[in-house]
Amino acid sequence: MIYEFKITLKHVGVPVWRKIQIDGNTTFYDFHRVLQVAFDWDNYHLHSFFAQKTNGERAGGQEITGEYHDDFGDVLGGNPSYNEKHEVISDWFSIPKDMVTYVYDFGDDWNHEIVFARKLQPEKDVVYPRCTGAKNIAPEEDTRGEVLMGEVDLALPDGKQLAKDVNEELRFQLNELLMSYDQTSAGDDKWYDVLSKAKEFQKLKPWDTLFDEHIFAVMDPVTQERLYCSVLGGAGEVFGLAVYIGDTGYRSLMNTLTTEEPDFQSVINQRSILLSYEDREDLEKEDYALIKSYDIPFRGRKSWPSFRSNKPGLYPWFMDDDEARLMLLGLERSIEVYHEVMNGLELPDMLFDEEMLVKVPREQNSGVVFDNQIVELEDREQELPNVTLAVSELDLKRMQKPKETLPATIEFSLEYMEMPVQNEENERPFFPLLVLAVEQTQGLAIYHNMLTAASNPASLIQSELLKVFESMNGIPGNIMVNHKTAHFLAPLIDKLNLNVEVEEDLPVIRQVMDMMHDDMLPF
């Protein structure tokens, strides 16, 4: 991607600035060389960059400099600095108004305020870096005193000619840095394309044609997973696109389609990414900053894109770069399906026909095209993952010793708490897990434990049930669990010959959970 900056030379009496467009992969050392040309310096003196604001947050003046000045700073016991030949500008500039100060000549202290404006797709056959605007000339070397006394005239009325002169000098002095692009050399940044397709998608208004039952899938050429796409907006409430990822996403999609009002436990187990269109004033600041980082205008009500990621156990959050790739794939194929439907394609109804349209990739002319296939829904996609016995041999032997069978019925469950926890600012919050065992007759909680993660839910649930038995000094005669818990406990149930009843609802646990949720503050 091309990064556009406005660089202003400060404290020289008149406005002196340049607008520079440069590849985001440029090192700060090469950026220094460009700035020397743009402001007509002679590179006689030391220099450094000082980060003031990066990724929208204050950076505390972290220094990016050459090795010679890095050693000098270490001698003085200063803060560690970054090597300008190793650091690239895309790692420090991401949100509009991110700012770095470039200081040239530590005697005269020529301070250049570098402010990030936006990211651009490279234009075909345009040579970068280039100057797109300029105002007034910079002082000559070693003239700080004269500038302070007002004895230097920096005014130059013809900014267009000045920008042209800068570009000629860039070509003359930095020929080895110059780069032109074809239409396929934009790099790995998918966000520009995602925003472009989101704008196209919104203009098409596919929700006027495609409805909730028109679910179709796209096979990801990279992972071979299916992405299940659902156009939102038929009900006139939320407009956009939901993309459910893989088998986990498929199960959460089916739950959404077959449940009138999905509860919190259903929603928190989703694996999906979501594009929705909002009013400008309803965007989070991160959403707005992302949009303004790219040269793609959005206007109007319910026209501003917002992107969210849903992962089991985690708070809905901003999509990452890999999810942006998946959203782009979903948007491109959704637009394609929309046009096919407008031209007569009939999409099967997955709930009634038990069939689905799948877009399957194949290589063609060094690229990828997608063919339409109608497939039957596979039972394996509706099943939970296979489960094995996950507790240790030692724990298992301890439980296999003679244990008293207790005349008790317990409800046992592991559920996410509707209480997101965020350990550090800007870190994605998570929902803690509550393991709960309740004696059904008296409604007393006999065991509870709060956990932070469940990368292996089978191991977690099995080991926690053994802890319940230990706390009770025996094995209850009857254990009530829901279907999902029973699935993860199955190997342990068989091994210990437990008496387990599988129920749709665990009323006492539900009552306890509702009471706990009512006492909690919102996130």
Side-chain angles (χ1 to χ4, degrees), residues 80-136:
S81 59
Y82 295 85
N83 192 322
E84 64 181 12
K85 293 186 177 180
H86 299 160
E87 301 299 315
V88 296
I89 60 179
S90 62
D91 289 337
W92 293 81
F93 297 98
S94 59
I95 294 177
K97 297 185 180 180
D98 278 353
M99 185 176 71
V100 169
T101 299
Y102 170 70
V103 180
Y104 173 62
D105 185 350
F106 291 98
D108 279 353
D109 285 333
W110 303 114
N111 289 341
H112 305 68
E113 183 182 82
I114 304 171
V115 179
F116 172 53
R118 55 182 177 167
K119 300 176 191 176
L120 304 162
Q121 282 283 74
E123 298 179 38
K124 187 177 181 180
D125 298 329
V126 169
V127 176
Y128 299 94
R130 68 168 174 172
C131 178
T132 60
K135 187 174 183 65
N136 294 326

Side-chain angles (χ1 to χ4, degrees), residues 17-43:
W17 53 259
R18 308 286 184 263
K19 285 185 179 179
I20 299 293
Q21 294 178 350
I22 191 168
D23 190 284
N25 291 320
T26 302
T27 66
F28 275 86
Y29 171 71
D30 287 332
F31 199 15
H32 148 70
R33 297 173 65 201
V34 170
L35 295 174
Q36 286 285 307
V37 173
F39 288 88
D40 200 23
W41 300 120
D42 295 322
N43 204 20

Side-chain angles (χ1 to χ4, degrees), residues 43-44 193 386 396 464 468 493:
N43 204 20
Y44 291 156
D193 293 331
N386 292 329
L396 195 59
E464 287 296 310
V468 173
I493 293 171

Side-chain angles (χ1 to χ4, degrees), residues 20 211 327 426 463:
I20 299 293
F211 302 102
M327 177 57 73
N426 297 323
S463 63

Side-chain angles (χ1 to χ4, degrees), residues 101 113-114 137 172 213 233 241 254 366 402 406 478 509 513:
T101 299
E113 183 182 82
I114 304 171
I137 60 174
F172 177 71
E213 66 270 19
L241 178 70
M254 292 299 294
S366 300
L406 304 175
N478 193 30
I509 281 184
M513 295 289 289

